Amino acid sequence: MPALAQEISKLTDRYQTTVPSGVRKQLNLEKGDHIRYLTEPNGRVYIEAAHADDGDPALGAFLDLLEADISAHPERLRAIDSSFVEQLKVLLKDVDVDLDAPLSDDDE
């Protein structure tokens, strides 16, 4: 059995880390890519590149359910009326979300 490559990285105060260059090269990762962590019950963790086309299995199953329901009962579909859109705008007017921003201390 070939020797396993080993690299070490350090966690910051916000639990962030840099993926070591050897791991980035092995997984062919670029800036902005996503990685998936797979954890075994014994604590061993694997990481792999997570591509946009991999998708979320729970989301995929939910979308399949919606598609089947819409196909079976298209008469149940209703257009969103403008009053609902206006209510959403009022509720969300002060919400600013940046999904790429690091977590705040309150979020951790």
Side-chain angles (χ1 to χ4, degrees):
M1 175 186 228
L4 296 175
Q6 176 178 297
E7 300 214 34
I8 295 174
S9 64
K10 179 181 175 183
L11 289 175
T12 68
D13 293 345
R14 294 187 175 218
Y15 299 98
Q16 296 172 332
T17 189
T18 299
V19 177
S21 63
V23 175
R24 289 194 311 266
K25 289 175 186 172
Q26 181 69 30
L27 296 177
N28 197 25
L29 294 172
E30 301 290 333
K31 290 180 181 179
D33 284 349
H34 292 91
I35 54 177
R36 176 181 298 113
Y37 297 88
L38 306 145
T39 308
E40 292 183 344
N42 67 5
R44 179 168 284 192
V45 177
Y46 300 90
I47 80 166
E48 62 186 18
H51 303 286
D53 57 350
D54 290 349
D56 178 344
L59 179 60
F62 177 68
L63 292 175
D64 290 344
L65 174 73
L66 284 178
E67 179 183 16
D69 187 61
I70 290 169
S71 295
H73 304 285
E75 73 279 1
R76 293 181 184 169
L77 290 177
R78 301 283 184 264
I80 296 175
D81 65 18
S82 60
S83 66
F84 180 70
V85 172
E86 291 307 314
Q87 288 175 345
L88 286 176
K89 286 180 182 177
V90 169
L91 288 171
L92 300 173
K93 70 177 178 177
D94 295 325
V95 176
D96 184 27
V97 177
D98 180 358
L99 297 177
D100 293 322
L103 294 174
S104 70
D105 290 335
D106 294 337
D107 293 332
E108 294 186 30

